[in-house]
Amino acid sequence: MISYLEFEKPVAELEQRIAELRSAADGDDVDISTELHRLEQKSADLLASTYESLSPWQKTQVARHPSRPHFRDYVEQAFEDFVPLGGDRNYGDDEAILGGFAKLNGRKIILIGHEKGNDTASRIRHNFGMGKPEGYRKAIRLMEMAGRFGLPVVTLVDTSGAFPGVEAEERGQAEAIARSTEACLALPGPMVAAIVGEGGSGGAVALASAERVLMMEHAVYSVISPEGCASILWRTAEKAPDAAEAMKVTAQDLKGLGVIDRIVPEPVGGAHRDPVVAATSLGAAIAEELDMLSGYAPHELKRQREDRFLAIAG
């Protein structure tokens, strides 16, 4: 069952009418196929036109949709033979950041990403995708393993930000994020990062400092959440839509600014409406990028990463 966002109410009303018409005609001899087709076409057209003109704030809502596919969904649909590896060999394991060996179209890779969970229990277990120091240190361990075995690294970023709790600070959250970013930049092999939902602050950059950065069509990527920015600038989270507009958080804006390299199209109505199609598109895009990067020497890959971030900073 689809959970509708506030701006999707007109679509929800149409689809409710379609469902009621089907229910009323069930077992009836009256032919309603023509009317059903008309309403279904109207609903599809309305959905398409709505998603063609989403504001940055509306895209933020889509990126946070509770039914949007997360790391485990993409692993199931786009990758093969995933073997999860846990622990940072220092403190413990963090289920907000998952990773391990995997294959993409037969190519062996190291796959790392944020997992938010899909129900109350799993969201709590995965800490809503907010990584702790041990999660980023696990990512570092896996990236170092990729370097030793000559494997490319693929990361799927989907977090509102790193966990800000006291215990995370006590265990060196900032240092872990910095070293994870450093590990990305130092990789001898190809790295492709994909922002699949939210890309929030340093918690996202720590897994996205790659030579090729992709974004799903309705994902967002920013240094702070729109609500956080609004609270700082205007002292109220109600200004979040204005903050989202000003921060240029969308894939389209960031592609124009050179922050990302490629936008991966989503099904009409967002990835949550057809996760299989979304995952297939993402897998194909990542495979293409890895093919293009496979001929570069380690020093060339490192230079590409350095150049992209120096260009952004400049």
Side-chain angles (χ1 to χ4, degrees), residues 50-77:
T50 298
Y51 271 76
E52 282 174 0
S53 57
L54 293 181
S55 70
W57 177 240
Q58 288 170 334
K59 281 185 177 285
T60 302
Q61 292 175 291
V62 175
R64 296 171 175 173
H65 195 286
S67 299
R68 192 172 178 85
H70 301 303
F71 180 82
R72 288 188 181 277
D73 301 302
Y74 286 111
V75 166
E76 184 177 340
Q77 299 295 339

Side-chain angles (χ1 to χ4, degrees), residues 142-163:
L142 294 178
M143 284 187 267
E144 290 174 347
M145 187 180 296
R148 287 198 299 274
F149 294 146
L151 299 175
V153 173
V154 173
T155 60
L156 306 182
V157 177
D158 188 11
T159 180
S160 58
F163 183 59

Side-chain angles (χ1 to χ4, degrees), residues 47-188:
L47 183 67
S49 63
T50 298
Y51 271 76
E52 282 174 0
S53 57
L54 293 181
S55 70
W57 177 240
Q58 288 170 334
K59 281 185 177 285
T60 302
Q61 292 175 291
V62 175
R64 296 171 175 173
H65 195 286
S67 299
R68 192 172 178 85
H70 301 303
F71 180 82
R72 288 188 181 277
D73 301 302
Y74 286 111
V75 166
E76 184 177 340
Q77 299 295 339
F79 301 89
E80 311 97 40
D81 302 336
F82 179 61
V83 179
L85 299 174
D88 66 346
R89 302 297 186 266
N90 184 39
Y91 176 82
D93 194 24
D94 177 18
E95 292 200 61
I97 297 177
L98 305 179
F101 294 105
K103 289 182 181 178
L104 176 60
N105 294 345
R107 175 191 277 114
K108 295 178 181 178
I109 63 170
I110 288 289
L111 180 63
I112 307 169
H114 299 93
E115 173 58 52
K116 286 185 172 181
N118 54 17
D119 56 28
T120 302
S122 63
R123 285 171 188 144
I124 292 172
R125 185 171 72 253
H126 294 291
N127 200 32
F128 300 88
M130 295 187 292
K132 297 177 182 178
E134 51 271 25
Y136 291 105
R137 291 183 179 121
K138 173 169 62 177
I140 294 167
R141 184 171 72 86
L142 294 178
M143 284 187 267
E144 290 174 347
M145 187 180 296
R148 287 198 299 274
F149 294 146
L151 299 175
V153 173
V154 173
T155 60
L156 306 182
V157 177
D158 188 11
T159 180
S160 58
F163 183 59
V166 173
E167 62 269 37
E169 296 299 330
E170 289 174 343
R171 296 198 293 274
Q173 182 72 293
E175 183 265 352
I177 289 172
R179 291 200 178 277
S180 182
T181 305
E182 179 185 41
C184 292
L185 297 172
L187 276 169

